[in-house]
Amino acid sequence: MFKIGLTGGIASGKSTVLTYFKDKGIPYIDADIVAREVVEPGTEGLEAIVDAFGSNVLHDDGTLNREALGAIVFHNEEKRRQLNDCLKEHIRNRIMELTAHYESNRAAVLIYDIPLLIEGEWYTMMDEVWLVYVNELTQIERLMSRNGFSKEDAMARIKSQMRLDDKRSYADLIIDNNGTPQALTAKLDTIWSDRLEPLLQKPQ
Ligand SMILES: CC(C)(COP(=O)(O)OP(=O)(O)OC[C@H]1O[C@@H](n2cnc3c(N)ncnc32)[C@H](O)[C@@H]1O)[C@@H](O)C(=O)NCCC(=O)NCCS
Ligand SMILES: Nc1ncnc2c1ncn2[C@@H]1O[C@H](COP(=O)(O)OP(=O)(O)OP(=O)(O)O)[C@@H](O)[C@H]1O
């Protein structure tokens, strides 16, 4: 199974790229979805968060108050590390479990959408790393408009990740997403026919 690690920075366009390949029927693992699963009520992940941050990061119904936790961790490096420590093992276990599932289903290709692929050293288990790249100005604008964040909040989230420029040297393929959605689709059409279709046609 050929493993592709799709990464980028917050709001650089990973989900948009993933949607293109999902629509083609390629199996995928979305780390943001996994990160939500491991904090559902009753999980060890949520328990660890409450131990570390207190019950004021919960809604009245016991679910995680993501806004409250985000406001803490994206403005405080140490708290963010603490959160990562609470969840990293649970996220890793679930991703490895899903990987085993796709291996046993004899998938030819698996795409991993992992925002912290480089920071979390996931790139070492990938056959290729694909980086969805935008310049910082575009990233700030798209993040502000998608999430309704102030410039300060957008910057705080961007600064909590490795600079996109520093991620470039880890990438086997850089997908520049500074242009229009149509320009992105044209690039993905080429990647599909030049890189993915040949992998899918290889005998298993
Ligand atoms: C802090 C939380 C509750 C905020 O939730 P919120 O709904 O506002 O954001 P969401 O989960 O949709 O994440 C949006 C983006 O933020 C970035 N991000 C998330 N967590 C982190 C982190 N710990 N460090 C740096 N960037 C992060 C990613 O680019 C992600 O795509 C949430 O992000 C979280 O639980 N983070 C810890 C888990 C994690 O590390 N996830 C990253 C995927 S492995
Ligand atoms: N080429 C483009 N032109 C204009 N807007 C775009 C383009 N590509 C993506 N967007 C928009 O930018 C925002 C961020 O894109 P997307 O959600 O795909 O990023 P992401 O990297 O998955 O973000 P996150 O790390 O937060 O999950 C979305 O609102 C999306 O619709």
Side-chain angles (χ1 to χ4, degrees), residues 29-39 90-91 94-95 98:
I29 296 173
D30 183 331
D32 279 339
I33 294 178
V34 171
R36 283 169 192 261
E37 278 175 14
V38 301
V39 297
H90 301 295
I91 293 174
R94 182 66 183 139
I95 289 180
L98 289 166

Side-chain angles (χ1 to χ4, degrees), residues 6-19 30 32 113-115 132 134 138-139 141-147 149 157 161 176-185:
L6 180 66
T7 196
I10 187 164
S12 69
K14 295 177 299 301
S15 306
T16 308
V17 169
L18 185 67
T19 298
D30 183 331
D32 279 339
D113 178 348
I114 307 187
V132 187
V134 287
T138 307
Q139 192 179 14
E141 280 170 6
R142 290 190 187 156
L143 183 53
M144 287 172 69
S145 99
R146 188 192 62 186
N147 289 49
F149 287 157
R157 293 212 178 205
Q161 302 183 340
D176 190 304
N177 187 27
N178 285 297
T180 61
Q182 293 74 14
L184 178 64
T185 303

